[in-house]
Amino acid sequence: MTSRRDMLRHLTLTSLAVSPLGAALRAAQAIPVRPIRAHEHRADLIIIGGGTGGCAAALAACTRGLRVVMTEESGWIGGQFTAQAVPPDENKWIESIGGTRTYRQLRTAVRDHYRANPRLLDRARQNPRLNPGNGWVSRVCAEPRVWLAAIEAQLAPYLASGQLQVLHHTRAVAADVDRDVVRSVRVRQADGSELLLEAPYVVDATELGELSALCGAELVMGAESRAMTGEPHALDEAQPDNQQSFTVVFAMEYRPGEQHVIDRPADYARWRRETVSVNGTAWPLLGFDEPANKRIGFDPDKRTGYWSYRRIIDHTLFAPGTYAGDVTLVNWWQNDYHHGPLVGVPQREATAHVQAAGALSLSLLYWLQTEAPRPDGGTGWPGLKLRPDIVGTDSGLAMTPYVRESRRLLTRRTVREQDVLRSLLPTGTETTAFADSVGIGHYAMDLHRTTRGDSGGYGDTVPFQIPLGALVPVRLRNLLPACKNFGVTHLTNGCYRLHPIEWNAGEAVGHLVAHAITSRRTPEAIHANATHTADYQRELQQAGIGLSWPTPLPAK
């Protein structure tokens, strides 16, 4: 007899009949699809990966009337904001421009969550730019769960109606590709059961570009050569295994006078000995001696330096007794893991790197609790308390690693450093000028230490745009990217990988799919024709997606 759970699992997707919009246009669809067969499940759009870009793509597609199935490997959708526990890295104009309308609505919803707390002090409630943690890396440093709630609220109407289905703890394991068309994606759920998902369009919103690899798409990994991109700062030879470091984030609170020291991690001795070379000098990894880190410092008693860097709860904004102390997220130089890549290696090796990165983060916490030098001459802050509840795990480590670099699709256009780096552009250039723009963003070309030991660095970029050509693969006709896997390079990924830009790219892709269906044109055809591109761009502007930066740029 079929169990109720099995029946519901099958009904979840078999109930996904195509939307009225999709049904009306199916016969004339640019991407041909086969008749549905028993035990196959179809929507208008399949999104593999429920991260930042995946959620934005789902929201955009749903607002356009499409039926969407989105999968997510972890228990939380939202990616960087939530499962990776990273407050948003944003541009200095983000309060008014430099983000889409829905992105700004998301930020407003997070602030409103805290404003609704009756214990928030009036001075904080009345601040139009309330920053719940007063962290200095972001204008809205807030708890991952609050970001999750805000994202889920945006998607709630479509979840309630059944227009959107979200499959948690589900990953893609195979893809059926017929020439240049992805016919279906097979996914595996936590209980080992598998489902076959079919749609005329498929989005790869995975953190590492896993779906694109399963589809046999043309991909780039790691650092390109100068001959490949023409970038002055590219390497002499391509190094696919040379990828930016990743980080396993954790949350901690400070309770002076209390004892919260964790058990000594098994790998602590290894990480205590570890050094990092900066400009020819070896510095302890677990330490603040390196000059840049020394300037920042760390003092939870004075609430300064790294303590306030990614702080997500500033207890002084609330009535006394609301919180025992501040809470901060630890995504620092000291727990960047650069000892091996996550892509281009066997899964067993990648898993071992993630486990080692987690051990590094716990070793950093233990060092802070027991050995870190204090300004008063003592060592360690035993009152630093791991907060597993903040990140939703038993271990206290974020559900998934914070990934900075993914596989990247070869697309119709690749954004290179000479397109965005101020020093390589003509004098007086204020912004990029991509005719096929589908959004805007800005951040420094921020490169962390790589798996081959390349030192990190920043490059001053002009405010830039996201070109449509960077979202359209060179061959596959119905696969689109919506994470850190679109047409950038190892270098320009450093400025395009941030929260509002990934959100914008995903949102643009959701609208692109809707436009492709209604116009009966493939994304390739939309990009190839300036008139078709302009038609699509008008829809983006109507949806509140800015395509160009104002000139002159405002001060902030």
Side-chain angles (χ1 to χ4, degrees):
M1 177 179 292
T2 302
S3 70
R4 183 175 183 273
R5 185 182 68 177
D6 290 340
M7 179 179 69
L8 289 174
R9 186 174 66 244
H10 288 292
L11 287 176
T12 297
L13 288 175
T14 53
S15 63
L16 287 175
V18 293
S19 69
L21 170 65
L25 298 169
R26 191 70 64 204
Q29 185 103 340
I31 301 297
V33 295
R34 298 173 296 179
I36 195 165
R37 299 195 299 267
H39 309 299
E40 293 186 348
H41 316 287
R42 183 180 296 164
D44 298 314
L45 174 62
I46 300 299
I47 301 173
I48 304 299
T52 301
C55 289
L59 179 62
C62 286
T63 62
R64 298 291 295 273
L66 302 186
R67 288 189 178 270
V68 179
V69 175
M70 181 170 71
T71 68
E72 167 54 35
E73 288 197 39
S74 75
W76 286 358
I77 60 173
Q80 297 189 63
F81 289 109
T82 59
Q84 297 176 32
V86 179
D89 294 295
E90 301 171 328
N91 62 77
K92 67 179 181 180
W93 301 281
I94 196 63
E95 300 291 352
S96 57
I97 54 176
T100 72
R101 180 190 299 155
T102 60
Y103 184 83
R104 292 196 298 274
Q105 290 170 344
L106 175 66
R107 300 170 83 253
T108 297
V110 169
R111 283 173 166 157
D112 286 347
H113 169 89
Y114 289 94
R115 289 193 178 104
N117 186 337
R119 296 185 66 80
L120 183 71
L121 298 180
D122 285 343
R123 63 178 172 84
R125 183 175 291 105
Q126 294 169 8
N127 182 357
R129 297 189 176 184
L130 170 64
N131 188 343
N134 273 332
W136 48 274
V137 75
S138 172
R139 289 169 174 80
V140 188
C141 277
E143 299 157 82
R145 287 184 185 274
V146 178
W147 287 105
L148 174 63
I151 292 170
E152 288 181 332
Q154 286 183 310
L155 298 174
Y158 311 107
L159 287 163
S161 69
Q163 187 180 341
L164 170 65
Q165 296 286 333
V166 177
L167 306 177
H168 291 90
H169 304 292
T170 301
R171 63 185 180 89
V173 293
D176 177 14
V177 180
D178 182 5
R179 297 183 181 178
D180 298 337
V181 174
V182 181
R183 296 295 186 185
S184 64
V185 179
R186 185 172 295 278
V187 299
R188 184 172 297 150
Q189 299 183 295
D191 62 3
S193 63
E194 294 189 352
L195 299 170
L196 193 66
L197 309 180
E198 285 193 343
Y201 287 94
V202 179
V203 168
D204 182 357
T206 61
E207 295 297 329
L208 296 172
E210 291 101 329
L211 178 61
S212 297
L214 288 173
C215 293
E218 289 74 14
L219 296 167
V220 177
M221 294 185 294
E224 300 94 341
S225 68
R226 195 173 300 113
M228 293 169 66
T229 66
E231 294 173 307
H233 295 101
L235 302 174
D236 292 335
E237 296 183 358
Q239 296 178 352
D241 64 337
N242 196 2
Q243 301 161 22
Q244 282 207 61
S245 55
F246 67 93
T247 306
V248 174
V249 180
F250 65 93
M252 64 180 179
E253 180 182 11
Y254 183 47
R255 298 191 176 192
E258 296 184 11
Q259 295 287 328
H260 296 286
V261 179
I262 64 172
D263 293 338
R264 178 185 169 105
D267 290 347
Y268 181 69
R270 170 195 174 185
W271 297 114
R272 189 70 180 87
R273 293 191 303 267
E274 186 75 19
T275 61
V276 176
S277 177
V278 179
N279 297 323
T281 301
W283 301 97
L285 177 62
L286 301 185
F288 299 104
D289 297 327
E290 186 273 330
N293 284 288
K294 191 170 186 177
R295 284 193 296 272
I296 296 172
F298 176 77
D299 191 337
D301 288 305
K302 294 182 178 179
R303 307 171 66 239
T304 58
Y306 270 120
W307 178 254
S308 59
Y309 180 47
R310 295 184 183 272
R311 184 175 55 199
I312 56 173
I313 292 176
D314 178 349
H315 79 279
T316 68
L317 298 182
F318 298 83
T322 303
Y323 294 101
D326 293 348
V327 178
T328 193
L329 291 169
V330 180
N331 173 18
W332 302 347
W333 182 88
Q334 289 82 355
N335 63 328
D336 273 3
Y337 182 90
H338 63 271
H339 295 267
L342 294 179
V343 299
V345 296
Q347 183 58 51
R348 182 180 299 178
E349 183 176 337
T351 299
H353 287 314
V354 173
Q355 291 171 344
L360 168 58
S361 289
L362 292 177
S363 294
L364 172 59
L365 172 61
Y366 183 78
W367 177 80
L368 291 168
Q369 292 172 324
T370 61
E371 293 193 78
R374 299 196 310 260
D376 64 4
T379 56
W381 284 272
L384 293 173
K385 181 183 179 182
L386 189 64
R387 288 291 303 270
D389 56 309
I390 294 290
V391 295
T393 65
D394 293 334
S395 68
L397 301 174
M399 289 184 181
T400 61
Y402 172 39
V403 174
R404 295 185 178 88
E405 186 170 354
S406 168
R407 298 175 179 88
R408 300 181 294 280
L409 279 164
L410 278 180
T411 51
R412 300 283 164 176
R413 177 170 191 165
T414 300
V415 181
R416 305 160 302 165
E417 68 167 340
Q418 55 266 45
D419 297 320
V420 297
L421 199 60
R422 190 179 300 275
S423 63
L424 300 178
L425 291 166
T427 302
T429 300
E430 288 195 42
T431 70
T432 59
F434 299 154
D436 63 340
S437 173
V438 298
I440 59 176
H442 184 249
Y443 204 76
M445 203 162 70
D446 178 14
L447 300 170
H448 287 236
R449 184 169 296 275
T450 72
T451 51
R452 286 254 189 140
D454 294 345
S455 296
Y458 289 89
D460 182 23
T461 63
V462 298
F464 49 74
Q465 297 156 297
I466 305 168
L468 173 58
L471 302 179
V472 180
V474 295
R475 181 178 59 85
L476 291 173
R477 299 169 61 200
N478 66 332
L479 175 71
L480 296 166
C483 196
K484 304 176 187 73
N485 54 342
F486 57 92
V488 292
T489 67
H490 172 70
L491 298 178
T492 55
N493 166 71
C495 59
Y496 274 84
R497 61 180 170 79
L498 292 311
H499 302 62
I501 303 166
E502 182 183 335
W503 182 277
N504 190 323
E507 190 171 353
V509 162
H511 285 291
L512 179 58
V513 171
H515 184 77
I517 290 175
T518 56
S519 68
R520 308 179 190 182
R521 302 184 186 107
T522 63
E524 177 187 358
I526 295 167
H527 173 253
N529 183 289
T531 300
H532 299 338
T533 299
D535 291 341
Y536 163 57
Q537 289 174 316
R538 278 190 289 273
E539 294 179 357
L540 295 179
Q541 290 175 306
Q542 291 169 2
I545 299 175
L547 304 184
S548 61
W549 288 90
T551 53
L553 287 162
K556 281 189 179 181

